[in-house]
Amino acid sequence: METLGDDLFEVAESLAASIDAPVTIEDEHSTVLAYSADAQAVDDIRIDTILGRQVPGRYRTILAETGVFDRLRREPGVTYADLGVGSVTRAVVAVRTGDGALIGSIWAARSGRLGAVAEETLLAAAPRVARLIIAHRAWTDRHRRLRSRQARAILDGGPEAFDVASELGLTGPVTVALAAPVPGPDLPAGLAGALAIHLEARGVRALTAELDATVCTVLAVAEESATRVLRAFAGTARVRDHVIIAVGRQAPSSGEAHRSHQDAVRALRVLRRRSQPGAVATTREVLTDIVALQVEGLLQELGAITPLARLIDYDNANGSELVGSVRAFLDHGGDVTAAAADLHVHPNTLRNRLRRAVDRDVDVADSDTRLVLMIQFALSAMRPRSAD
């Protein structure tokens, strides 16, 4: 099998020619590592898999439910997978390390079962593919560490930041964004690579690296353009259910990228509190919540003397609805009629409640009191973080 080639794409091409079937090589997470360049389209599943560099989620579900993944983990030999009407049957071979750990798989798409010789060819190729996957991972790890060092150099600022950015072509204005999982602290496998591919395919110069349990991206575009392309990425099937993205303000040059990064860190904290998968937000869009989080610790220390705490205590003791009434009043900019309609009460009822709030030293006519209340309401609207 040494004639298969020296990289995964060469192996995929050689195998496809040998067994007369399109071939895909994937890792254990169903991420595409290589594929044969076929003249025929085969089916939509193969097209979607190659374009997305990942087996689409709905088909991974089918493979899991029909036991294909379990058979790959447990059984030697060739496994066959049927992905439904309009799809071509897949012949699958597990790729393992010397100690038996599953690190990938080889997929061949062709109607019906393969012949005995073709099956033997696939099985014989697995050890060669395993060695190439291991080599690929070693190269990927080195490249990942290099990108992380480059990202840190840019975010640290100074002359080195300019040197690294110039070497990477990140000249002119830059915008820093942070992508992170929600919920949970672990980065989804391949997130950095998927984002890098997405940006490259759209002609965006960027450095994407794993940094401090996030995927940090320095984009050589203005904030508006960065936000638009990142929203397109967040809307893809692979990430929209478990990733959030915070976008910092545009920096005039790579030498000030650290300021954009600081913005993104603050915005990411807000998004983690909100815990809304697929969300993409700029610093400007979550500015109120950023300010609220900055003073959260102080408000907690002040405890019972804060205006919201006094309203809550009164409601708990009397079964009243001062908190909701004051909040509606503030949400409607002090318009009693609109707030009362929202609460489904008479305006005079709302006025009476606001007077009872004054009796608790919470005067909503006072601008300072309103400011503190609005910050506290902003904090209460953010759901607790599931992970830091």
Side-chain angles (χ1 to χ4, degrees), residues 320-338:
S320 54
E321 300 179 24
L322 296 191
V323 171
S325 299
V326 169
R327 183 166 194 165
F329 176 77
L330 295 177
D331 285 346
H332 288 279
D335 187 328
V336 171
T337 301

Side-chain angles (χ1 to χ4, degrees), residues 137-157:
R137 287 184 172 179
W139 178 87
T140 300
D141 287 343
R142 291 193 299 272
H143 194 52
R144 182 184 298 115
R145 289 193 293 270
L146 173 61
R147 290 196 302 267
S148 295
R149 289 196 299 271
Q150 290 170 327
R152 286 202 181 278
I154 291 176
L155 298 181
D156 285 345

Side-chain angles (χ1 to χ4, degrees), residues 213-249:
T214 68
V215 171
C216 176
T217 304
V218 183
L219 303 95
V221 294
E223 179 185 332
E224 182 179 354
S225 298
T227 304
R228 184 169 56 252
V229 73
L230 290 169
R231 285 199 167 119
F233 176 72
T236 60
R238 185 174 181 183
V239 301
R240 64 176 169 235
D241 294 331
H242 51 259
V243 173
I244 51 178
I245 302 177
V247 185
R249 287 173 295 174

Side-chain angles (χ1 to χ4, degrees), residues 265-283:
V265 169
R266 297 185 183 105
L268 185 64
R269 186 182 174 207
V270 170
L271 293 182
R272 279 178 163 154
R273 280 287 292 264
R274 290 181 176 179
S275 191
Q276 296 172 339
V280 178
T282 67
T283 306

